[in-house]
Each structure stands twice: as structure tokens, then as C-alpha cells.
Amino acid sequence: MTVRTSPSPISHQWQLMRRPVGVPVAEDFRYVSVELSPLADGEVRVTNEFISVDPYMRGRMNDVKSYTPPYVLGETMVGGAIGRVTESRSDALAVGDLVQHFQGWRDVAQGAAAQFRKTNEIAGVASSVFLGALGMTSLTAWVGLFVIADMQPGDTVFVSGAAGAVGSAVGQIARSRGAGRVIGSAGSDEKVAHLIDRYGFDAAFNYKMGDVAGQLATAAPDGIDVYFDNVGGDHLEAAISSFNDGGRAALCGAISSYNSSEPPVGPRNMSMLTTKGLMLKGFTIGNYLEYSPQFAAEVGPLVASGKIVYDETVVDGIDNALEAFGALMRGENLGKMVVRIGG
Amino acid sequence: MTVRTSPSPISHQWQLMRRPVGVPVAEDFRYVSVELSPLADGEVRVTNEFISVDPYMRGRMNDVKSYTPPYVLGETMVGGAIGRVTESRSDALAVGDLVQHFQGWRDVAQGAAAQFRKTNEIAGVASSVFLGALGMTSLTAWVGLFVIADMQPGDTVFVSGAAGAVGSAVGQIARSRGAGRVIGSAGSDEKVAHLIDRYGFDAAFNYKMGDVAGQLATAAPDGIDVYFDNVGGDHLEAAISSFNDGGRAALCGAISSYNSSEPPVGPRNMSMLTTKGLMLKGFTIGNYLEYSPQFAAEVGPLVASGKIVYDETVVDGIDNALEAFGALMRGENLGKMVVRIGG
């Protein structure tokens, strides 16, 4: 007779093995199966429903000084995720609870209950939405507009990468606060149409058709007051040229340079910062989490009622997470990119 | 017998005749003698003692959209000046009053009394000081440090062009508010020594010796928190690289590009604005004049008591004003550059 213990649970995870040069390649990562140890007192185990893949993660793959520390080589990449508690040795969380956490690129997560935040479910709202339109993504839009760029009613607002999860939230949240004119750029004609038809932008253009400065000047004949930058590079230079006196930019990311191993060319019109009294301010959302309640109170009802709409691009399977990230880098997503676990 | 009326007073003035391309040349200007009309009711005539020449004037010679409008071709260039009332048809000002005004590049000015602001003389303080250490120059330093860059006690402060009138005020005013470390750049070894020996900078370097980024990193081994930019170009890029998280830059001028007819190269490290949460904000002092009383209350006593020191470079004669401006552009001044009239 053989005595068998029940098998240890397995967690499938993605780890960064070397710093990518330029566009990340498969060889920069490894996909591992980890045997999980039994829970200690105060710990919970969570089976993820969705994990978030976001542009900022490309930055964390580099070894650069930053508010957000770089990914540690040989360790599993962290990031936003949402799942359900499947086993609990903590009074704080019960089996079945929906929880958010930052353990990222894995299908099963476990650790001290304090690392997991219980999420109040909303009828009819998929759990993925708490990673996007009701989560960090829209919080990023809200903080950039109001805390960083001090958007005021009547302002003309320009957002680059506007068909992405952050960009589409920027346009709609700006509109809901009374922006005078909302302008977006995106990387295809289909996305441009989507910005106007679905997200209600007043004007939009395809930056891959060239001459960003010229297209922006046409879309904003009276100039812009606020710029929400997801792209950097020629978009930032174009925004500086189109700014009215006193313009403000919230710099959220620079996807145009994430995969470049050459230093990008900087804006050639920086002297306009002085002559027009402009402000550029960068931010990473991790330093502004204290605004979450204020954001949720304002934006939650708008999303729940459908006044703010959103799209998701869903990739199935933790084994496809790296492919999802690559598609995100190539701009193949519409709205928030998530990986569905277990489907 | 011949009846003679007294001759009309003459004002010698400098006018811009065409927009300079690159370094201004004599042919861009004309020096004229203007017969002044008799005073109308409410007007005064002022014989200037000093006129101010400032780097920002180069910007006004271009025809670009700006808070500060460009100089009008064929009209006398405006700017700060101080002089004495020699004739008055206004109750507001009496003959002998010391007054400041913005009529600029001329030896005799006249107009409505409201255009002239009476200055309270201080025993032992030359009237030129009201154009510099007790005037717009130091106000610019104060506003940049505290209103724009939110300097806090303990901050490490870097100022470029530090031997100039604004720069030397920046360093000393920052120190008086408790800056932890004050670093300056200047364009000669003599100026570098002067920054340390006379203005009390903790460290300084000669940017003409090359590698601004490397020299700044050596001078600020623990990074910088505030950057006051008088130069632009490679100085701004170096500051961005040396900034600690949350660093703030006040962009006051970009003398490195004033005389360039090519667009300058922009900072190649703009993505650090996001990763380090940096802010860059440009300003022109004309929009912040409401801070004058607060500035005067704080800085006036420091200058009067000698706790803040200053230098002046004095050029004699209104006919030499253009030469004075050229010397300023070439960095040949130490401290505030003024033209003495009549002296």
C-alpha cells in the first residue's frame, strides 16, 4: 500500500531573465511552473481571473533608477491582477472573496492577506474592469488630468495614444469635467474612427500618417491647454508648439522610446516653455494612490451608468501573457489589455 | 533783432529695424535723435541715470508668439530704466524724484506720470541697484525659486549662468532660505572662483570646459532637487539626469539658443520626467509682478545689510547701449549689466 499526499499546487509564472535591448524577445523571459508551499498562518491563496499588462512594464524591464524599481532578474514580474481566494488561513479574507493584488504575471498567487485588497463586486461588471475602467488605468487618467495638469472647464485637451486604456479614459473623464474640446491621436484609421464614434472625441488623427505637429494644429486651430502624454517624442514636441500660454502637460509614459536602445531626440522647441509659461510634469501612478477614493467616487458612477464606456482586449491563458504584452507594445489592443486566466 | 525760442530737448534712442538672424549685428538697429514735444498736462520728462540690458531682450527681437510681445520694428526698444524727473506737469511727481519705468533704450523719456513709478531712495545705494539686486533681476530669482520651483529648506539647488545678475541672486537667495547645497555653472574660471569666493556657492564649474553632465554629477554627488535654468541646451539635459525624484526646474531663459537660427537639440532624457516625477516650468517675470512686495520685504533688508552681495558691469553712454548688449550676449559681464547715462 502506498501513502499519497495530495500534490502541491502549481503556479505558472513569467520571469525576466535578462534586460531587453530594444523590443523584448522571448529569450529575455522564462515561463516556469512553481510548486507552492502550504499556507502559513495569516496567508491566503488566490486563483487569478485576470492579470494586467501595461506599457509601463516595459520601463521596469530596464535597469534604471526610477520611482518604480526595475524588475528583478530571475524573479516573477509583478503587476496588477484580480482573482478569487481559494484557500485562506486569515480571518481577513474568506474563500470566494474577489481580491486585487500586485503579484502580477502568474495564475496562482499566495501570501500574507494584507497583500490582497478585497474588491466590492458590482452586478454585471466583469472583474477585469477593476484593472481598467474602474482601476489603476482610469485612476492614472484622472490623476494626470486633475492633480498633475490642473485641467479646468473649457480647456482644450489633447491626449496621445488615445485609443489605449488610459487614453480613452482621459478623453471621456475630461469631457465629463467640462473640457471645451477633446482631441486624440491613435495609430490606425480604425482607432481614429473609434475615438470619435465611441468615445466622443471632437477630433482625432492617425499619427502614423506623419506630421504630428501639422495634424494637431489642424485639429486644434485655437491651440491646446492640457496635454496628456502617453507617447513622448514628436507628440510632445507638437503639443509644446500647439500650447496656448500657460499650457500644462501630464507626462505618463513614452511608449515611443520604450523599445529604443538609442537615446530619443528631445523636443527642439523647449524654449517655448519659457516664452509661453508652460509646465511639463511627469508622474507614475504609484505615488498618487491616495486619490483612489476621490477618483472612485467621481468615476465609479460614470462607468456603472455607461456614461463612460471602455473596451478591453482579452488574451486567454497565462502561457500567452508574453504574447499579450508584445501585442500591446505593437499597439494591437483596443482599450485595456488583459490576460484571462482559466477562462 | 532775432527772437529765439529755447531749442527742443533731444532724446537719443535705439530702435530695432529688422529681426536679427543669429547674433544681432549693428545693421539690425539704428541710433536716432528724437526732438521731444512739449509736455502735455499730466506728463513728466525724465533724464535716465541707468538703463537695463537683459538677456530676455534677445527673445523680444524675434517675431514669435510670447507672453512678452516682440519689439516693434522701427520703434524704440523698451526695457527697464531709472532716472530723475527734470520737468513735471503732474501733481503726482515732482522735479528731482527718482523714478523707474519701462521706456528702455533712450537717455530722456517722457509721458504720462502713471508710466513712472517713484522709487524710495536708500542712502548709500546707487540708483542702478533698483534695476538689479533690488529690482526685476532679483525678483526673477525669487519667483523662480519659490513660486515656480517650490524650493524647500535642505534642497540642493543648481543654477546655470550663475555669475549673471539673476544667477548670483538665485544662489544667495536660495542659501538665505536654507538650501542644503548651492551649485553654479559659469563660462570662465574667473567667474567660477567668484561664485565660490564672493557669492558663497558650495561648488561651481566652468561649462566651457565641456561635459556639463559629468561636471554637474561631480559637483552634486547626491543629486539636485531644484534647477534654475538661465541657459537651456545641454545644461537642462544635465539637470534632468542629476535630478532626484520629485525635482523641479524653473526655466527662465535659454541664452544658449537665443542667437541660434537652427532649432536647438532638445534634451534626450525627457523620459526621466516620468520615471523620476520631475516638473519643468517656464516663466517670464512680467506675469508675476504681484509678488514684488513679498519679495521686497524679504530681500530688501538682505541687500541693504550686505548679506546678499551683487556686482554690476557698467557701460557708459547711451550711444554704447548696443555694445553693452553684445557684451552681455557674449557673457563678458559680471553681475548686472547696465548702461550709465550722462554719468
Coordinates of all heavy atoms in Angstrom, one line a residue, chain A residues 64-68 236 240 243-246 251-254 257-258 263-271 273-284 288, chain B residues 64-68 236 240 243-246 251-254 257-258 263-271 273-284 288:
Chain A
V64 N 17.0 50.9 -14.7 CA 17.2 52.4 -14.5 C 16.6 52.8 -13.2 O 15.6 52.3 -12.7 CB 16.6 53.2 -15.6 CG1 17.3 52.9 -16.9 CG2 15.1 52.8 -15.8
K65 N 17.2 53.8 -12.6 CA 16.7 54.5 -11.4 C 15.3 55.0 -11.7 O 15.1 55.7 -12.7 CB 17.6 55.6 -11.0 CG 17.3 56.4 -9.8 CD 18.5 57.3 -9.4 CE 18.2 58.1 -8.1 NZ 17.2 59.1 -8.2
S66 N 14.4 54.8 -10.8 CA 13.0 55.2 -11.1 C 12.2 55.1 -9.8 O 12.6 54.4 -8.9 CB 12.4 54.3 -12.2 OG 11.0 54.5 -12.3
Y67 N 11.1 55.9 -9.7 CA 10.2 55.7 -8.6 C 9.8 54.2 -8.5 O 9.7 53.6 -7.5 CB 8.9 56.5 -8.9 CG 8.8 57.9 -8.4 CD1 8.6 58.9 -9.2 CD2 9.0 58.1 -7.0 CE1 8.5 60.2 -8.7 CE2 8.9 59.4 -6.5 CZ 8.6 60.4 -7.4 OH 8.5 61.7 -6.9
T68 N 9.5 53.6 -9.7 CA 9.1 52.2 -9.7 C 10.4 51.4 -10.0 O 11.0 51.6 -10.9 CB 8.1 52.0 -10.9 OG1 7.2 53.0 -10.9 CG2 7.5 50.6 -10.8
L236 N 5.2 65.1 -28.1 CA 5.4 66.1 -27.1 C 5.9 67.4 -27.7 O 5.4 68.5 -27.4 CB 6.5 65.6 -26.1 CG 6.8 66.6 -25.0 CD1 5.6 67.0 -24.2 CD2 7.9 65.9 -24.0
I240 N 3.9 71.0 -27.4 CA 4.6 72.3 -27.0 C 4.3 73.4 -28.0 O 4.0 74.5 -27.6 CB 6.1 72.0 -26.8 CG1 6.3 71.1 -25.6 CG2 6.8 73.3 -26.6 CD1 7.7 70.6 -25.4
F243 N 0.6 74.5 -27.7 CA 0.1 75.0 -26.4 C -0.2 76.5 -26.5 O 0.5 77.3 -27.0 CB 1.2 74.8 -25.3 CG 1.0 73.6 -24.5 CD1 2.1 72.8 -24.2 CD2 -0.2 73.3 -24.0 CE1 1.9 71.6 -23.4 CE2 -0.4 72.1 -23.2 CZ 0.7 71.3 -22.9
N244 N -1.3 76.8 -25.9 CA -1.6 78.2 -25.5 C -0.7 78.6 -24.3 O -0.2 77.8 -23.6 CB -3.1 78.4 -25.2 CG -4.0 78.1 -26.4 OD1 -3.7 78.5 -27.5 ND2 -5.1 77.4 -26.1
D245 N -0.7 79.9 -24.1 CA 0.0 80.4 -22.9 C -0.5 79.7 -21.7 O -1.7 79.6 -21.5 CB -0.2 81.9 -22.7 CG 0.6 82.7 -23.8 OD1 1.4 82.2 -24.5 OD2 0.4 84.0 -23.8
G246 N 0.4 79.3 -20.8 CA 0.0 78.7 -19.5 C -0.4 77.2 -19.7 O -1.0 76.6 -18.8
L251 N 2.9 64.0 -18.1 CA 3.7 63.0 -18.9 C 3.6 61.7 -18.2 O 4.1 61.5 -17.1 CB 5.1 63.4 -19.0 CG 5.4 64.9 -19.4 CD1 6.9 65.1 -19.6 CD2 4.7 65.2 -20.7
C252 N 2.9 60.8 -18.8 CA 2.5 59.5 -18.2 C 3.4 58.4 -18.7 O 3.6 57.4 -18.0 CB 1.1 59.2 -18.5 SG 0.5 57.6 -17.9
G253 N 3.8 58.5 -19.9 CA 4.6 57.4 -20.5 C 5.2 57.9 -21.8 O 4.8 58.9 -22.3
A254 N 6.1 57.1 -22.3 CA 6.8 57.5 -23.6 C 7.0 56.2 -24.4 O 8.1 55.8 -24.6 CB 8.1 58.2 -23.3
S257 N 9.6 55.6 -27.0 CA 11.0 55.3 -26.7 C 11.2 54.1 -25.9 O 12.4 53.7 -25.6 CB 11.6 56.5 -26.0 OG 11.1 56.7 -24.7
Y258 N 10.1 53.4 -25.4 CA 10.3 52.3 -24.5 C 11.2 51.2 -25.1 O 12.0 50.6 -24.5 CB 9.0 51.6 -24.2 CG 8.2 52.3 -23.2 CD1 6.8 52.2 -23.2 CD2 8.8 52.9 -22.1 CE1 6.0 52.8 -22.2 CE2 8.0 53.5 -21.1 CZ 6.7 53.5 -21.1 OH 5.9 54.0 -20.2
P263 N 19.2 56.9 -27.5 CA 18.5 58.0 -26.8 C 17.6 58.7 -27.9 O 18.1 59.0 -29.0 CB 19.6 58.9 -26.4 CG 20.9 58.2 -26.5 CD 20.7 57.1 -27.5
P264 N 16.4 58.9 -27.5 CA 15.5 59.6 -28.5 C 15.9 61.1 -28.7 O 16.6 61.6 -27.8 CB 14.1 59.5 -27.8 CG 14.4 59.4 -26.3 CD 15.7 58.7 -26.2
V265 N 15.4 61.7 -29.7 CA 15.7 63.1 -29.9 C 14.7 63.8 -29.0 O 13.5 63.5 -29.0 CB 15.4 63.4 -31.4 CG1 15.5 64.9 -31.6 CG2 16.4 62.7 -32.3
G266 N 15.2 64.8 -28.3 CA 14.3 65.6 -27.5 C 13.6 66.7 -28.2 O 13.9 67.0 -29.4
P267 N 12.5 67.3 -27.6 CA 11.8 68.4 -28.3 C 12.7 69.5 -28.6 O 13.5 70.0 -27.7 CB 10.8 68.8 -27.2 CG 10.7 67.7 -26.3 CD 12.0 67.0 -26.3
R268 N 12.7 70.0 -29.8 CA 13.6 71.1 -30.2 C 13.0 72.5 -29.9 O 13.6 73.5 -30.2 CB 13.8 71.0 -31.8 CG 14.6 69.8 -32.2 CD 14.4 69.5 -33.6 NE 13.0 69.1 -33.9 CZ 12.5 68.8 -35.1 NH1 13.3 68.7 -36.2 NH2 11.2 68.5 -35.3
N269 N 11.8 72.5 -29.3 CA 11.2 73.8 -29.0 C 11.0 74.1 -27.5 O 10.0 74.7 -27.1 CB 9.8 73.8 -29.7 CG 9.0 72.6 -29.4 OD1 9.4 71.7 -28.6 ND2 7.8 72.5 -29.9
M270 N 12.0 73.6 -26.7 CA 11.9 73.7 -25.3 C 11.8 75.2 -24.9 O 11.3 75.5 -23.8 CB 13.0 73.0 -24.6 CG 13.0 71.5 -24.7 SD 11.7 70.7 -23.8 CE 12.3 70.9 -22.1
S271 N 12.4 76.1 -25.7 CA 12.4 77.5 -25.3 C 11.0 78.0 -25.2 O 10.7 79.0 -24.5 CB 13.2 78.3 -26.2 OG 12.6 78.4 -27.5
L273 N 8.8 76.7 -23.5 CA 8.3 76.6 -22.1 C 8.4 77.9 -21.4 O 7.6 78.3 -20.6 CB 9.1 75.5 -21.3 CG 8.6 74.1 -21.4 CD1 8.5 73.5 -22.7 CD2 9.3 73.2 -20.4
T274 N 9.5 78.7 -21.7 CA 9.7 80.0 -21.0 C 8.7 81.0 -21.7 O 8.0 81.7 -21.0 CB 11.1 80.4 -21.2 OG1 12.0 79.5 -20.6 CG2 11.4 81.8 -20.5
T275 N 8.8 81.1 -23.0 CA 8.0 82.2 -23.7 C 6.5 82.1 -23.5 O 5.8 83.1 -23.4 CB 8.3 82.3 -25.2 OG1 8.0 81.0 -25.8 CG2 9.8 82.6 -25.4
K276 N 6.0 80.8 -23.4 CA 4.6 80.6 -23.2 C 4.2 80.2 -21.7 O 3.0 80.0 -21.5 CB 4.0 79.6 -24.2 CG 4.2 80.0 -25.6 CD 3.3 79.2 -26.6 CE 3.8 77.9 -26.9 NZ 3.1 77.3 -28.1
G277 N 5.2 80.2 -20.9 CA 4.9 79.9 -19.5 C 4.3 78.5 -19.3 O 3.3 78.3 -18.6
L278 N 4.9 77.5 -20.0 CA 4.4 76.1 -20.0 C 4.9 75.3 -18.8 O 6.0 75.6 -18.3 CB 4.7 75.4 -21.3 CG 4.3 76.1 -22.5 CD1 4.8 75.3 -23.8 CD2 2.8 76.5 -22.6
M279 N 4.2 74.3 -18.4 CA 4.6 73.3 -17.4 C 4.5 71.9 -18.0 O 3.5 71.5 -18.5 CB 3.8 73.4 -16.2 CG 4.3 72.5 -15.0 SD 3.1 72.0 -13.8 CE 2.2 70.8 -14.8
L280 N 5.6 71.1 -17.8 CA 5.6 69.7 -18.1 C 5.9 69.0 -16.8 O 6.8 69.3 -16.1 CB 6.7 69.3 -19.1 CG 6.9 70.1 -20.3 CD1 8.1 69.5 -21.2 CD2 5.7 70.2 -21.2
K281 N 5.0 68.0 -16.5 CA 5.3 67.3 -15.2 C 5.0 65.8 -15.4 O 4.0 65.4 -15.9 CB 4.4 67.8 -14.1 CG 4.7 67.1 -12.8 CD 4.0 67.9 -11.6 CE 4.4 67.2 -10.3 NZ 3.7 67.8 -9.2
G282 N 6.0 65.0 -15.1 CA 5.9 63.5 -15.2 C 5.3 62.9 -13.9 O 5.5 63.5 -12.8
F283 N 4.7 61.8 -14.0 CA 4.2 61.1 -12.8 C 4.1 59.6 -13.1 O 4.0 59.1 -14.2 CB 2.9 61.7 -12.4 CG 1.7 61.3 -13.3 CD1 0.8 60.4 -12.8 CD2 1.6 61.8 -14.6 CE1 -0.3 60.0 -13.6 CE2 0.5 61.4 -15.4 CZ -0.4 60.6 -14.9
T284 N 4.2 58.9 -12.0 CA 3.9 57.5 -12.0 C 2.8 57.2 -11.0 O 2.9 57.8 -9.9 CB 5.1 56.6 -11.7 OG1 5.8 57.1 -10.6 CG2 6.1 56.6 -12.9
Y288 N 0.5 58.3 -6.3 CA -0.8 59.1 -6.1 C -2.0 58.3 -5.7 O -3.1 58.6 -6.0 CB -1.0 59.9 -7.5 CG 0.0 60.9 -7.8 CD1 1.2 60.5 -8.5 CD2 -0.1 62.2 -7.3 CE1 2.2 61.4 -8.8 CE2 0.9 63.1 -7.6 CZ 2.0 62.7 -8.3 OH 3.0 63.7 -8.6
Chain B
V64 N 8.1 86.2 -32.5 CA 7.5 85.0 -32.0 C 6.4 85.3 -31.0 O 6.5 86.2 -30.2 CB 8.5 84.0 -31.4 CG1 9.4 83.4 -32.5 CG2 9.3 84.6 -30.3
K65 N 5.4 84.4 -31.0 CA 4.3 84.5 -30.1 C 4.9 84.3 -28.7 O 5.7 83.4 -28.5 CB 3.3 83.4 -30.4 CG 2.1 83.3 -29.5 CD 1.1 82.2 -30.1 CE -0.2 82.1 -29.4 NZ 0.0 81.5 -28.0
S66 N 4.5 85.1 -27.8 CA 5.1 85.1 -26.4 C 4.3 85.9 -25.5 O 3.6 86.8 -25.9 CB 6.6 85.6 -26.5 OG 7.1 85.7 -25.2
Y67 N 4.4 85.5 -24.2 CA 3.8 86.4 -23.2 C 4.3 87.9 -23.4 O 3.5 88.8 -23.3 CB 4.3 86.0 -21.8 CG 3.4 85.0 -21.1 CD1 4.0 83.8 -20.6 CD2 2.1 85.3 -20.8 CE1 3.2 82.9 -19.9 CE2 1.3 84.4 -20.1 CZ 1.9 83.2 -19.6 OH 1.1 82.3 -18.9
T68 N 5.6 88.0 -23.6 CA 6.2 89.3 -23.8 C 6.1 89.6 -25.3 O 6.7 88.8 -26.1 CB 7.6 89.3 -23.3 OG1 7.7 88.7 -22.1 CG2 8.1 90.8 -23.2
L236 N 20.2 71.9 -19.4 CA 18.9 71.3 -19.0 C 18.9 69.8 -19.0 O 18.5 69.1 -18.1 CB 17.8 71.8 -19.9 CG 16.4 71.3 -19.6 CD1 16.0 71.6 -18.1 CD2 15.3 72.0 -20.5
I240 N 18.3 67.3 -15.7 CA 17.3 66.2 -15.7 C 18.0 64.9 -15.3 O 17.4 64.2 -14.5 CB 16.7 66.1 -17.1 CG1 15.8 67.3 -17.4 CG2 15.9 64.8 -17.2 CD1 15.2 67.4 -18.8
F243 N 18.7 65.1 -11.5 CA 17.6 65.3 -10.6 C 17.3 64.1 -9.7 O 17.3 63.0 -10.2 CB 16.3 65.6 -11.3 CG 16.0 67.1 -11.5 CD1 15.6 67.6 -12.7 CD2 16.0 67.9 -10.4 CE1 15.3 68.9 -12.9 CE2 15.7 69.3 -10.5 CZ 15.3 69.8 -11.8
N244 N 17.1 64.4 -8.4 CA 16.5 63.4 -7.6 C 15.0 63.3 -7.9 O 14.4 64.1 -8.6 CB 16.6 63.8 -6.1 CG 18.1 63.8 -5.7 OD1 18.9 63.0 -6.1 ND2 18.5 64.9 -4.9
D245 N 14.4 62.2 -7.4 CA 12.9 62.0 -7.6 C 12.2 63.3 -7.1 O 12.5 63.9 -6.0 CB 12.4 60.9 -6.7 CG 12.8 59.5 -7.3 OD1 13.4 59.5 -8.4 OD2 12.6 58.5 -6.7
G246 N 11.2 63.7 -7.9 CA 10.5 64.9 -7.5 C 11.1 66.3 -7.8 O 10.7 67.3 -7.3
L251 N 12.4 77.5 -15.6 CA 13.1 77.8 -16.8 C 12.9 79.3 -17.1 O 11.8 79.7 -17.4 CB 12.5 76.9 -18.0 CG 12.4 75.4 -17.7 CD1 12.0 74.7 -19.0 CD2 13.7 74.9 -17.2
C252 N 14.0 80.0 -17.0 CA 13.9 81.5 -17.0 C 14.4 82.0 -18.4 O 13.9 83.0 -18.8 CB 14.8 82.0 -15.9 SG 14.9 83.8 -15.9
G253 N 15.3 81.3 -19.0 CA 15.8 81.7 -20.3 C 16.6 80.7 -20.9 O 17.0 79.7 -20.2
A254 N 17.0 80.8 -22.1 CA 17.8 79.8 -22.8 C 18.8 80.5 -23.6 O 18.7 80.5 -24.9 CB 16.9 78.9 -23.6
S257 N 20.3 79.3 -26.8 CA 19.7 79.2 -28.1 C 19.2 80.6 -28.6 O 18.7 80.7 -29.7 CB 18.5 78.3 -28.0 OG 17.5 78.9 -27.2
Y258 N 19.4 81.7 -27.8 CA 18.9 83.0 -28.2 C 19.4 83.4 -29.6 O 18.7 84.0 -30.4 CB 19.3 84.1 -27.3 CG 18.5 84.1 -26.0 CD1 19.0 84.5 -24.8 CD2 17.1 83.9 -26.1 CE1 18.2 84.6 -23.7 CE2 16.3 84.0 -25.0 CZ 16.8 84.4 -23.8 OH 16.1 84.5 -22.6
P263 N 17.1 75.2 -35.0 CA 16.4 74.7 -33.8 C 17.5 74.0 -33.0 O 18.2 73.1 -33.5 CB 15.4 73.8 -34.3 CG 15.3 74.0 -35.8 CD 16.6 74.6 -36.2
P264 N 17.5 74.2 -31.6 CA 18.5 73.5 -30.8 C 18.1 72.1 -30.6 O 16.9 71.7 -30.8 CB 18.4 74.3 -29.5 CG 17.0 74.8 -29.5 CD 16.6 75.1 -30.9
V265 N 19.0 71.2 -30.2 CA 18.7 69.9 -29.9 C 18.0 69.8 -28.5 O 18.5 70.5 -27.6 CB 20.0 69.0 -29.9 CG1 19.7 67.6 -29.4 CG2 20.7 69.0 -31.3
G266 N 17.0 69.1 -28.4 CA 16.2 69.0 -27.1 C 16.9 68.0 -26.2 O 17.7 67.2 -26.7
P267 N 16.5 68.0 -25.0 CA 17.0 67.0 -24.0 C 16.6 65.6 -24.5 O 15.5 65.3 -24.8 CB 16.4 67.4 -22.7 CG 15.8 68.8 -22.9 CD 15.6 68.9 -24.3
R268 N 17.6 64.7 -24.5 CA 17.4 63.3 -24.9 C 16.8 62.4 -23.8 O 16.5 61.3 -24.1 CB 18.7 62.8 -25.5 CG 19.1 63.4 -26.8 CD 20.6 63.2 -27.1 NE 21.4 63.8 -26.0 CZ 22.7 63.7 -26.0 NH1 23.4 63.1 -27.0 NH2 23.4 64.3 -25.1
N269 N 16.7 63.0 -22.6 CA 16.4 62.2 -21.5 C 15.0 62.6 -20.9 O 14.8 62.5 -19.7 CB 17.5 62.3 -20.4 CG 17.8 63.7 -20.1 OD1 17.3 64.7 -20.6 ND2 18.8 63.9 -19.1
M270 N 14.1 63.1 -21.8 CA 12.8 63.5 -21.3 C 12.0 62.4 -20.6 O 11.1 62.7 -19.8 CB 12.0 64.1 -22.4 CG 12.5 65.4 -23.0 SD 12.4 66.8 -21.9 CE 10.6 67.1 -22.1
S271 N 12.3 61.2 -20.9 CA 11.5 60.1 -20.3 C 11.8 60.1 -18.8 O 11.0 59.5 -18.0 CB 11.8 58.7 -20.9 OG 13.2 58.4 -20.6
L273 N 11.4 62.5 -16.9 CA 10.4 63.3 -16.3 C 9.3 62.4 -15.7 O 8.8 62.6 -14.6 CB 9.7 64.3 -17.3 CG 10.3 65.7 -17.3 CD1 11.8 65.7 -17.8 CD2 9.5 66.6 -18.1
T274 N 9.0 61.3 -16.4 CA 8.0 60.4 -15.9 C 8.6 59.5 -14.8 O 8.0 59.4 -13.7 CB 7.5 59.5 -17.1 OG1 6.9 60.4 -18.0 CG2 6.4 58.5 -16.6
T275 N 9.8 58.9 -15.1 CA 10.3 57.9 -14.1 C 10.7 58.5 -12.8 O 10.6 57.9 -11.8 CB 11.5 57.1 -14.7 OG1 12.5 58.1 -15.1 CG2 11.0 56.3 -16.0
K276 N 11.1 59.8 -12.8 CA 11.5 60.4 -11.6 C 10.5 61.5 -11.1 O 10.7 62.1 -10.1 CB 12.9 61.1 -11.8 CG 14.0 60.1 -12.1 CD 15.4 60.7 -11.8 CE 15.9 61.5 -12.9 NZ 17.4 61.9 -12.7
G277 N 9.4 61.6 -11.8 CA 8.3 62.5 -11.3 C 8.8 64.0 -11.3 O 8.5 64.7 -10.4
L278 N 9.4 64.4 -12.4 CA 10.0 65.7 -12.4 C 9.0 66.7 -13.0 O 8.1 66.4 -13.7 CB 11.3 65.7 -13.3 CG 12.3 64.7 -13.0 CD1 13.5 64.8 -14.0 CD2 12.8 64.8 -11.6
M279 N 9.3 68.0 -12.7 CA 8.5 69.1 -13.2 C 9.4 70.1 -13.9 O 10.4 70.5 -13.2 CB 7.6 69.8 -12.1 CG 6.7 70.8 -12.7 SD 6.2 72.1 -11.6 CE 7.8 73.0 -11.5
L280 N 9.1 70.6 -15.1 CA 9.8 71.7 -15.7 C 8.7 72.8 -15.9 O 7.7 72.5 -16.5 CB 10.3 71.3 -17.1 CG 11.2 70.0 -17.2 CD1 11.7 69.9 -18.7 CD2 12.3 70.1 -16.2
K281 N 9.0 74.0 -15.5 CA 8.0 75.1 -15.7 C 8.8 76.3 -16.1 O 9.7 76.8 -15.5 CB 7.2 75.3 -14.4 CG 6.1 76.3 -14.7 CD 5.1 76.4 -13.5 CE 4.0 77.3 -13.8 NZ 3.0 77.4 -12.8
G282 N 8.3 76.9 -17.3 CA 8.9 78.1 -17.7 C 8.1 79.3 -17.2 O 6.9 79.2 -16.8
F283 N 8.8 80.5 -17.2 CA 8.1 81.7 -16.7 C 8.8 82.9 -17.3 O 9.9 82.9 -17.6 CB 8.0 81.7 -15.2 CG 9.3 82.1 -14.5 CD1 9.5 83.3 -13.9 CD2 10.3 81.1 -14.5 CE1 10.7 83.6 -13.2 CE2 11.5 81.4 -13.8 CZ 11.7 82.7 -13.2
T284 N 8.0 84.0 -17.4 CA 8.5 85.3 -17.7 C 8.0 86.2 -16.6 O 6.9 86.1 -16.1 CB 8.1 85.8 -19.1 OG1 6.7 85.6 -19.2 CG2 8.8 85.0 -20.2
Y288 N 4.4 87.8 -13.0 CA 4.5 87.5 -11.5 C 4.8 88.8 -10.7 O 5.3 88.7 -9.6 CB 5.5 86.4 -11.3 CG 5.1 85.1 -11.9 CD1 5.5 84.8 -13.2 CD2 4.4 84.1 -11.2 CE1 5.1 83.6 -13.8 CE2 4.0 82.9 -11.8 CZ 4.4 82.7 -13.1 OH 4.0 81.5 -13.6

